[in-house]
Amino acid sequence: MTCRRHPNPRHWLVFLTLITIASPLLPPPLLGQNGDHKGEAQPENWRRWDVPKAPAQSAEEELATFRVAPGFRVELAASDPLIVDPIAIEFDRHGRLWAIELRAFMPDVDGTGETEPVGQVVVLEDDDHDGVYDRSTVFLDGLTNARAIALVEDGVLVAEPPHLWYCRDTDGDLRSDWKIELTRYGSPDPDHLEHTENGLLRNLDNWLYSAKSSRRFRFTLGDDGVPRLEEEQSAFRGQWGITHDDRGRLFYNGNSSYLYGDPWPAEYLLRGAPCGRAVGQPPGIGERIVHDEGVHSIRVNPGINRGYQKGMLRADGRLARTTSVSGGVIYRGDQFPPEFQGDAFIPEPAGNVVAHFDLKERGGVPRGTQVIYSSEGSPGHAFLASTDERFRPVDCAIGPDGALYIVDLYRGVLQHRQFVTSYLRKQILDRGLDKPVGLGRIWRVVREDQPIDHASPAPKFETTEACLAALGAQNGWVRDAAQRTLIEREDRAALSRVRRVARRGSPLARVHALWTLEGLGAVDLESVEAGLEFDDPRVRIAALRVAERLATTAIARSVVGKLA
């Protein structure tokens, strides 16, 4: 008879301790990565291509690697060390650039130290008005993986999961000296770095919307100076980045999908569902706007997480389809040619490109077609493409000057540790992509035949008359800023003039004037009726939506009568 002994628990403890001590010495394929799929082969197909080295370059050197659409030029707006690891930006009414710095993101391939409180909010200023920011002030530091910013009345909202802070500078030195938590925001789990709330986009309707979220917020500052945040349930939207068009329709993405959107306001579609929510979300929310997920880069892109899978890389090693789509923007500026109005610009940092989509209305729903550009000596390429593997466009914005601004994280490692595969880890270490860190750039794309005069003053919003005139500006950033300024000032004496714009202004001015009245709680029937009788659908839609503020039976009959 064979004697079978039970395992001694102490032996197992010793064995596990040895494994723990030895594990850093074992080759990565033996340990496996969080992103590995059980039983999946990961052939090193990247060795078949002549993969160029990817050393960190200066901003001037990186600028030479860009290929942009004909008729456009790329300019440097800001560079390290003035800006480090930027992920989101916003311009204020003085033309200053506010940026979130994600300084703890992937210090190495294992994400060592990623929860260290080293993140910052910085404010950049262009003192000599040459178009390049030359001064940086740290507004707020000690942040852990902050990801979104919104300028609000007398202060700034900063999203640092699991907190949404309201911060103020009370002595005028551009440094926060007062901070209060308004609500919980995002997940505190560092494993959710890629998958938690972000955005804080102020939409036309005066609400703040986020991606990877099913909430919206409305910020007010009471007469007593106490900040208040109203919160409502909304539709769940996207992954990283959120934007809107001139009608206030929201657009967002998935990491493998360029563009989704809400052709109709989700709040109406969600009404009637149990507890204000809909199961699976009804049609009209999260419509797929772009079906072409092709990537058109100008360099080989094997350094992606699942480049070993069929269909991810082209025969020449370039990225074939989307895998890391980031924060896009709908072009609402006045610097590009008119035919670009309402188009989408969307970064794909794994492909080192920013793609351009021509958006056209089809049956009341915008549909996007990718625009591919050609140039001598290369295959068709995206609107902006780079031969520098460290060019990592992660967000876009339209500036007060109407130009397209691109946030460049500029680093070798893009994938978060939670999802890194053994395939990618091998490349990162072999090709030295993990060092250096702590760089970053902001790029400006401008129309070549319409240069920007950086010496001219930024849009002014000091007076009510200036704000009213700005409601009809061609640049959407200017209109948005004017609307927010009028609402925050609460100048009741200006209501008659706002109503005059709502009834007699240009189409875009009427839209913003109507939403200004809504934000002031001063919507009137005459302005609504004038909007409903106007022939521009953007004005009619705005009038119908703000009419909710007049919710009485008699007024409802009048509104419906105007639509008949």
Side-chain angles (χ1 to χ4, degrees):
M1 179 181 292
T2 302
C3 178
R4 302 185 64 181
R5 299 181 60 184
H6 293 287
N8 187 323
R10 287 178 296 177
H11 294 166
W12 281 106
L13 179 60
V14 171
F15 175 75
L16 292 174
T17 302
L18 287 172
I19 287 293
T20 301
I21 294 172
S23 61
L25 306 177
L26 297 176
L30 294 180
L31 288 176
Q33 293 290 290
N34 288 334
D36 289 352
H37 292 163
K38 186 176 181 180
E40 185 178 45
Q42 299 184 21
E44 295 178 359
N45 57 359
W46 53 279
R47 295 192 182 279
R48 75 178 67 158
W49 297 295
D50 182 18
V51 182
K53 295 184 181 298
Q57 302 190 76
S58 68
E60 292 73 20
E61 291 170 329
E62 186 189 5
L63 181 60
T65 71
F66 289 130
R67 188 166 295 147
V68 68
F72 292 90
R73 180 178 67 251
V74 182
E75 300 176 345
L76 179 67
S79 176
D80 49 85
L82 210 65
I83 185 82
V84 172
D85 297 321
I87 59 165
I89 60 174
E90 183 158 350
F91 295 90
D92 68 16
R93 289 175 292 221
H94 303 284
R96 298 176 299 207
L97 180 64
W98 296 64
I100 291 277
E101 296 183 333
L102 192 67
R103 288 174 171 246
F105 178 70
M106 294 298 286
D108 59 26
V109 71
D110 297 310
T112 306
E114 71 172 358
T115 58
E116 293 298 313
V118 295
Q120 297 186 155
V121 174
V122 297
V123 188
L124 305 183
E125 298 176 85
D126 177 11
D127 292 328
D128 55 8
H129 306 293
D130 64 350
V132 180
Y133 291 95
D134 40 41
R135 179 154 53 107
S136 177
T137 302
V138 178
F139 174 78
L140 186 64
D141 58 10
L143 298 172
T144 302
N145 296 326
R147 66 213 19 253
I149 184 172
L151 303 179
V152 294
E153 185 175 359
D154 202 30
V156 183
L157 297 182
V158 177
E160 180 200 21
H163 315 286
L164 181 60
W165 303 107
Y166 173 62
C167 310
R168 291 177 58 200
D169 162 28
T170 63
D171 56 11
D173 63 355
L174 274 182
R175 301 178 188 274
S176 173
D177 44 39
W178 192 86
K179 182 172 77 169
I180 184 173
E181 183 184 59
L182 296 182
T183 190
R184 307 297 275 180
Y185 186 97
S187 170
D189 188 341
D191 285 351
H192 294 171
L193 186 66
E194 289 188 11
H195 295 278
T196 195
E197 289 178 290
N198 65 88
L200 288 179
L201 170 79
R202 182 190 298 274
N203 200 4
L204 195 60
D205 62 3
N206 303 310
W207 287 86
L208 292 160
Y209 293 85
S210 293
K212 204 71 180 180
S213 175
S214 57
R215 301 187 293 170
R216 65 175 186 169
F217 304 111
R218 192 161 182 147
F219 177 88
T220 56
L221 194 62
D223 295 336
D224 54 3
V226 176
R228 295 177 176 84
L229 195 70
E230 182 182 355
E231 178 180 329
E232 280 189 2
Q233 286 293 307
S234 185
F236 184 86
R237 299 179 175 93
Q239 183 169 339
W240 187 272
I242 187 168
T243 185
H244 71 92
D245 66 6
D246 283 344
R247 299 189 189 188
R249 295 180 297 189
L250 293 167
F251 296 85
Y252 36 94
N253 59 47
N255 69 297
S256 297
S257 301
Y258 277 119
L259 199 61
Y260 294 94
D262 300 345
W264 301 283
E267 283 60 46
Y268 300 113
L269 299 173
L270 293 173
R271 289 176 187 172
C275 302
R277 300 290 292 135
V279 177
Q281 298 190 166
I285 300 175
E287 293 285 325
R288 193 167 182 176
I289 307 302
V290 168
H291 289 270
D292 174 8
E293 307 301 353
V295 178
H296 299 273
S297 64
I298 58 173
R299 58 158 289 125
V300 294
N301 311 111
I304 63 170
N305 210 33
R306 304 202 184 277
Y308 54 86
Q309 290 184 344
K310 184 178 180 180
M312 290 305 300
L313 297 174
R314 301 176 190 270
D316 60 3
R318 292 181 301 130
L319 185 61
R321 57 151 298 128
T322 49
T323 184
S324 62
V325 176
S326 299
V329 70
I330 301 298
Y331 187 77
R332 303 171 58 233
D334 59 351
Q335 210 275 333
F336 284 19
E339 60 267 27
F340 286 82
Q341 272 294 322
D343 285 1
F345 292 88
I346 307 173
E348 216 306 348
N352 319 115
V353 301
V354 176
H356 168 211
F357 295 90
D358 179 21
L359 266 55
K360 293 286 189 289
E361 299 293 325
R362 298 176 189 169
V365 177
R367 299 296 183 190
T369 301
Q370 185 166 186
V371 182
I372 311 301
Y373 296 87
S374 60
S375 57
E376 186 177 350
S378 74
H381 61 84
F383 176 80
L384 177 64
S386 173
T387 57
D388 188 344
E389 188 168 3
R390 294 174 185 261
F391 171 55
R392 303 298 193 184
V394 294
D395 200 18
C396 293
I398 306 301
D401 53 14
L404 172 66
Y405 284 77
I406 296 169
V407 179
D408 180 4
L409 187 60
Y410 200 74
R411 55 170 53 230
V413 179
L414 180 67
Q415 181 69 64
H416 183 231
R417 61 160 180 82
Q418 180 68 6
F419 304 100
V420 170
T421 59
S422 297
Y423 171 91
L424 179 56
R425 181 190 180 99
K426 179 71 172 175
Q427 287 192 68
I428 289 171
L429 297 179
D430 278 10
R431 299 203 282 122
L433 298 177
D434 53 334
K435 301 296 181 201
V437 296
L439 306 174
R441 287 94 200 242
I442 308 294
W443 302 101
R444 179 192 303 110
V445 181
V446 300
R447 175 181 176 180
E448 281 192 303
D449 63 356
Q450 188 174 312
I452 295 171
D453 181 7
H454 298 290
S456 64
K460 300 296 183 183
F461 303 97
E462 281 82 359
T463 67
T464 296
E465 288 304 322
C467 290
L468 291 170
L471 290 177
Q474 289 300 305
N475 186 348
W477 182 92
V478 175
R479 297 195 305 273
D480 292 347
Q483 175 180 322
R484 178 166 73 90
T485 303
L486 287 167
I487 292 171
E488 291 177 352
R489 284 182 184 162
E490 292 188 281
D491 183 0
R492 313 306 291 187
L495 283 178
S496 61
R497 286 173 286 171
V498 177
R499 287 172 176 146
R500 189 180 306 124
V501 176
R503 299 168 193 173
R504 304 174 190 171
S506 67
L508 288 173
R510 288 185 181 218
V511 168
H512 283 272
L514 284 166
W515 283 113
T516 300
L517 292 173
E518 193 276 345
L520 290 168
V523 176
D524 63 291
L525 183 57
E526 187 177 343
S527 296
V528 168
E529 289 180 335
L532 293 172
E533 292 172 348
F534 198 65
D535 59 1
D536 190 299
R538 295 170 297 184
V539 179
R540 291 166 63 85
I541 290 169
L544 182 61
R545 292 184 63 192
V546 304
E548 282 196 278
R549 287 280 190 167
L550 306 173
T552 69
T553 302
I555 291 175
R557 288 198 190 101
S558 173
V559 169
V560 172
K562 295 291 182 183
L563 294 173

